[in-house]
Amino acid sequence: MNAVHGGPDALGVPAHDFSTNANACGPCPQALAALREADRSRYPDPAYTALRARLAAFHGVEAGRIIVAASASEFIHRITACAARAGLRHAVLPAHGYGDYARAAQAWGLALAPQEPALHWACEPASPLGTADAALAQWARQPASPGALRVIDCAYAPLRLEGAGAAPPGDAWQMWTPNKALGLTGVRAAYAIAPGTAEGVSQAAAVQALAPSWPLGADGVALLQAWVEEGAQAWLAASLATLRSWKTRQAALCTALGWAVVPGSLANYFTARLPVADVPAALQALRARGVKLRDCASFGLPGHVRLGVLAPVSQQALREAWTGAGYHFA
């Protein structure tokens, strides 16, 4: 199963990249300053003692529940490996979701079937639709089966533009990747919070035992340290107001172009159905004009694209690229 991602490709960095969900107001100045000051001449503490303490304090949990990871994708593969080693043989995924959930399950021999006990994934807000994940409501009503693993991908929780997310179930893992919220996706760093239960403690030890030495380098440590500081959080809060304004304008533009915007997105991205028969050809035409969108076929939504919210100058470039490629307004 080949990985499909947004962002730079064989043609280089798109001038106007709608294909990722990074915070378009970034990079966060406070995080950039922390990266400049990072000491790359030495190994980090292999136990990440101070970093884990900071992350734990930020979330109000014990430091022992914090597991650092090289990236979300690395953690997805690691916890899937842990599930397989624990004897799980099935995985339950969102109907539309990040491809690495399925890739990791395939790599470790987990069948994609709702048979308990299983490794369960949820994403809140979901990608690519940006909606609430219905699985979380079910998890809140029904405890996990004995031996099961539940993981919430919180990648877009900091970029939620509407409402407040529900409190995570106490028996679920949380996986956090702040580089999107900080507008610094090139810095790979993530962490997870194990459930605060006896079973969670056991799971955390098993997941940690599968970690390579030093999964985070100096840049990753600096990013996560900056993430929990007051300055970065204040910058993030201010950026959300800007993103809300840009999102309203961008959705209106897509509607004017004749695209069917899918309602319900709570985050800094949304999906739309293009009014063309050959979506890949349309995306190639846009890419040739410096504009990249994310094809949703790999998410199980053929005919749709996902658009991260960008600034008005990029929205104007999208408009010009669409008409320049020979497509017309509705």
Side-chain angles (χ1 to χ4, degrees):
M1 183 185 300
N2 294 327
V4 178
H5 300 295
D9 51 31
L11 298 178
V13 178
H16 304 280
D17 189 1
F18 293 85
S19 70
T20 78
N21 297 336
N23 187 339
C25 296
C28 170
Q30 292 83 356
L32 274 181
L35 290 170
R36 294 190 189 101
E37 296 169 4
D39 183 359
R40 299 174 180 85
S41 68
R42 294 175 175 82
Y43 289 110
D45 166 18
Y48 301 99
T49 308
L51 173 62
R52 290 170 61 238
R54 287 193 188 189
L55 294 170
F58 180 71
H59 288 280
V61 302
E62 300 82 7
R65 292 174 58 186
I66 302 294
I67 304 292
V68 299
S71 67
S73 294
E74 186 270 317
F75 183 77
I76 290 168
H77 280 263
R78 197 198 315 172
I79 201 166
T80 304
C82 186
R85 285 168 60 93
L88 299 188
R89 295 293 176 261
H90 300 88
V92 180
L93 315 184
H96 310 293
Y98 185 39
D100 274 21
Y101 308 148
R103 292 182 66 240
Q106 181 185 57
W108 287 98
L110 273 61
L112 303 183
Q115 183 172 329
E116 295 296 341
L119 170 62
H120 294 258
W121 284 98
C123 184
E124 174 74 358
S127 177
L129 295 174
T131 52
D133 194 319
L136 294 184
Q138 179 184 350
W139 292 5
R141 293 191 301 268
Q142 182 176 352
S145 300
L149 273 167
R150 289 175 165 178
V151 190
I152 306 171
D153 185 342
C154 302
Y156 306 112
L159 290 166
R160 189 183 185 102
L161 303 183
E162 297 180 36
D171 60 3
W173 283 74
Q174 300 172 49
M175 181 179 71
W176 291 84
T177 48
N179 56 358
K180 295 179 180 66
L182 298 175
L184 286 161
T185 53
V187 183
R188 311 302 293 157
Y191 62 96
I193 306 173
T197 61
E199 189 171 15
V201 171
S202 176
Q203 292 171 351
V207 172
Q208 181 57 41
L210 293 176
S213 298
W214 296 290
L216 291 180
D219 288 339
V221 171
L223 183 84
L224 295 184
Q225 287 177 333
W227 160 244
V228 301
E229 295 297 329
E230 182 177 345
Q233 288 296 312
W235 174 86
L236 173 61
S239 75
L240 298 184
T242 301
L243 292 171
R244 288 186 193 99
S245 173
W246 290 353
K247 181 180 180 181
T248 299
R249 176 171 176 164
Q250 186 167 304
L253 167 63
C254 291
T255 299
L257 295 177
W259 304 4
V261 174
V262 178
S265 171
L266 308 169
N268 67 318
Y269 52 90
F270 57 87
T271 58
R273 177 182 284 277
L274 298 190
V276 295
D278 192 342
V279 169
L283 296 185
Q284 289 178 8
L286 293 176
R287 182 67 183 91
R289 288 164 175 79
V291 174
K292 184 173 182 180
L293 310 181
R294 178 70 155 84
D295 191 339
C296 286
S298 65
F299 289 116
L301 286 170
H304 292 74
V305 295
R306 188 191 68 193
L307 301 94
V309 171
L310 296 188
V313 64
S314 292
Q315 296 177 23
Q316 179 62 24
L318 171 61
R319 179 193 202 94
E320 293 172 357
W322 184 251
T323 56
Y327 301 104
H328 304 287
F329 292 92

